[in-house]
Each structure stands twice: as structure tokens, then as C-alpha cells.
Amino acid sequence: MKTWEVIIPPTGGGDIRTLLIEAATWMMALSEGLRQLADPTQLSSLNCNITPHGTLEIVDSKGGRTITIREITPGGAAAAAPKAPAPAPEAESAA
């Protein structure tokens, strides 16, 4: 299991909630966070953006809010974004 920080703004105003959730995937952490807060948001209304730092920004198109999720490493820091694969070497053309 991984630890995820899930930041969920309320749908009707109020305080932003930050939850630490143990889950295998970010999607499971999101579902659990919404369940814990009894938030009625349907997953089908959400779109996911991944920032260059690896944080997930989940945009609720119906509720007009952004839920933020990031993986927490065992030391308590946010996990680093995965590195992009190295570009493939260009093939030399035959003359």
C-alpha cells in the first residue's frame, strides 16, 4: 500500500479537507477520500491532469473545483515525478 495526500475542497463552501489515505492506487485513494467525506461527486464527472512534479489535479467539471492528490514517500515527502524515458538515438542514414 502507498500513502496518498488527498486535498478535497468542499462542494458548497467551507474548509478544505486534507486526508492521508492508504491505498494501492491514486484512484482508490480518491474514492476513499470522497467516501470518508460523504461527498456525492461521481467519478465520471472528473478529469485528471498530471503536473510536471507528479501531483494529480482532479478537475470536477460539474462542481467547479480541483481535488489534489500526491503520493507521500515513507519519509513523509511527496514522491518525485517519474523520469521521462531518454530519447531514442537517431539512426544514421546510409549514404
Side-chain angles (χ1 to χ4, degrees):
M1 290 278 193
K2 299 177 181 179
T3 301
W4 303 91
E5 178 183 59
V6 181
I7 303 169
I8 303 177
T11 53
D15 295 330
I16 292 175
R17 297 290 309 264
T18 300
L19 306 169
L20 290 179
I21 297 176
E22 295 286 327
T25 67
W26 68 266
M27 183 68 98
M28 293 172 79
L30 172 62
S31 294
E32 177 61 17
L34 293 172
R35 187 196 66 75
Q36 285 184 22
L37 298 177
D39 189 304
T41 300
Q42 296 295 314
L43 296 180
S44 62
S45 71
L46 303 177
N47 294 306
C48 178
N49 299 313
I50 302 173
T51 70
H53 303 291
T55 299
L56 296 136
E57 293 179 345
I58 313 301
V59 179
D60 178 0
S61 59
K62 291 184 181 175
R65 62 187 175 153
T66 301
I67 299 166
T68 304
I69 301 175
R70 66 185 180 121
E71 183 181 351
I72 303 296
T73 61
K83 294 183 178 181
E90 292 184 32
E92 294 184 26
S93 58

